[in-house]
Amino acid sequence: MRQIEDSSTATDEITRYVHAEHDHSGAHALLVRGQTVMEPGEFSKFASKVGLEPHSYRRGNSPRRQLGPSVFTSTDFNAAAYVTMHHELSYEMDVPRFLLFHCVVPAQAYGGETLVARSEDVTSALPHDLKRAFESGIKYIRRLSRTRTGLLQSWVDVYGSDDIRVVTAKLEREGVLYAWDGDLLVTETLMSSFRDVGNLGRVWFNQADQWHSSHLLDDRRRQLMARVYKTGLPHDVVFADGSEIPAALVEEITRIALDCATPVSWQPGDLLVFQNEVFMHGRAPYSGERDVMVTLGR
């Protein structure tokens, strides 16, 4: 990771980073210290100024709130738990090229570091037999109710309409496998577990561990969600042939990816940018107030 202490060069440094022809094998994440803390609207304008074209998060599954134009909370996931290592929106065909974070308030008691790991390091560290098990790909299963459940999105949020006919037409155009169970929408998306990334070659690129049922909820909340979503949880993942992914594999993936991560200890005003295909990211547990914003860019 490259770190810059001179905040006066932030705009120029990040602009160069965004527009550079990156050698993926030598790419770095860029951390700029000492920037003045920005409001969401200012951060949105800054992202545009450095050349980031906004990328939608409409179909994202992480609980987060929109704060301004193309600006979101980094995550509203349980503060007491890790956000495991992942590539943003790797369960979608269209993924953001860059992620740009801005720290307003670091975690006030402890923790809350953003974790960053090179995709090639994680891929190399995963055992051959584990990677071979994922060669045929995976199937993401998503269940969306008409109305929001806590921080979980509804199909109205995801597809931008409260009309089942309009949403069905969109699903048909996009070739998504889907089924309606009353006003509950169930979609299935087949994706590769790997992605070809320039001269990095083929790297691990999925969110099998985050979507797996063993990762989602404790038993009490799992029972509650099963009542809301009828026969299943809000999202799940299986192998492409429909067979279950063993929880032991998910635990191994999570552990190895976290072992490869470098923590970024936030200071107010910090800016962190990296390429989504080249780096995985996560978040350490924390306590106290924490305010970190993110924008996704092309």
Side-chain angles (χ1 to χ4, degrees), residues 17-297:
Y17 184 93
V18 168
H19 291 284
E21 290 294 330
H22 290 283
D23 174 359
H24 293 102
S25 64
H28 56 269
L30 179 62
L31 174 65
V32 181
R33 299 275 197 200
Q35 181 76 16
T36 301
V37 170
M38 292 179 268
E39 296 293 329
E42 294 174 302
F43 182 46
S44 178
K45 291 177 182 177
F46 178 85
S48 297
K49 187 174 182 179
V50 299
L52 288 179
E53 179 185 344
H55 189 289
S56 172
Y57 192 70
R58 169 166 280 181
R59 300 194 187 184
N61 77 315
S62 178
R64 54 175 36 138
R65 290 163 290 124
Q66 185 161 1
L67 303 174
S70 302
V71 174
F72 305 87
T73 54
S74 59
T75 180
D76 295 328
F77 186 71
N78 182 6
Y82 275 97
V83 174
T84 58
M85 305 303 291
H86 62 286
H87 296 277
E88 200 67 46
L89 292 173
S90 57
Y91 45 86
E92 291 286 330
M93 295 300 295
D94 183 21
V95 302
R97 186 180 177 200
F98 296 101
L99 271 68
L100 175 62
F101 291 86
H102 179 52
C103 177
V104 178
V105 179
Q108 294 298 284
Y110 69 84
E113 298 88 352
T114 290
L115 310 173
V116 181
R118 290 186 62 84
S119 309
E120 60 181 325
D121 293 343
V122 175
T123 306
S124 297
L126 291 170
H128 177 72
D129 288 349
L130 186 153
K131 288 183 284 192
R132 186 170 58 190
F134 283 82
E135 279 291 341
S136 62
I138 55 179
K139 182 190 296 183
Y140 295 102
I141 302 168
R142 193 170 193 181
R143 297 175 180 88
L144 296 163
S145 61
R146 179 186 285 273
T147 57
R148 277 179 170 258
T149 305
L151 291 170
L152 297 174
Q153 290 182 310
S154 67
W155 52 258
V156 177
D157 297 321
V158 172
Y159 293 100
S161 174
D162 62 359
D163 188 326
I164 287 180
R165 293 168 299 179
V166 172
V167 174
T168 298
K170 287 185 178 183
L171 294 165
E172 292 282 355
R173 285 196 301 271
E174 295 172 7
V176 176
L177 295 173
Y178 70 93
W180 290 99
D181 182 2
D183 62 359
L184 180 72
L185 172 62
V186 182
T187 64
E188 296 184 355
T189 307
L190 288 170
M191 297 287 287
S192 173
S193 306
F194 301 87
R195 190 178 185 93
D196 290 317
V197 181
N199 55 8
L200 286 185
R202 198 161 174 255
V203 299
W204 184 255
F205 197 87
N206 64 76
Q207 283 177 231
D209 60 332
Q210 286 198 346
W211 281 61
H212 196 269
S213 58
S214 65
H215 175 82
L216 290 177
L217 306 164
D218 58 37
D219 289 340
R220 184 182 62 82
R221 293 189 65 205
R222 186 178 285 110
Q223 291 171 6
L224 173 63
M225 287 298 178
R227 289 199 295 271
V228 174
Y229 294 97
K230 300 184 180 180
T231 58
L233 295 169
H235 54 75
D236 201 354
V237 64
V238 295
F239 286 123
D241 63 3
S243 60
E244 291 190 9
I245 300 173
L249 289 186
V250 172
E251 292 171 6
E252 189 170 12
I253 293 164
T254 299
R255 176 184 58 78
I256 289 172
L258 285 172
D259 285 347
C260 292
T262 298
V264 176
S265 296
W266 290 111
Q267 298 175 13
D270 281 354
L271 291 159
L272 173 67
V273 62
F274 53 82
Q275 298 173 77
N276 186 38
E277 290 184 323
V278 179
F279 292 94
M280 302 176 76
H281 67 284
R283 189 213 65 203
Y286 70 94
S287 178
E289 181 187 2
R290 178 184 187 269
D291 186 353
V292 177
M293 301 185 288
V294 67
T295 187
L296 317 181

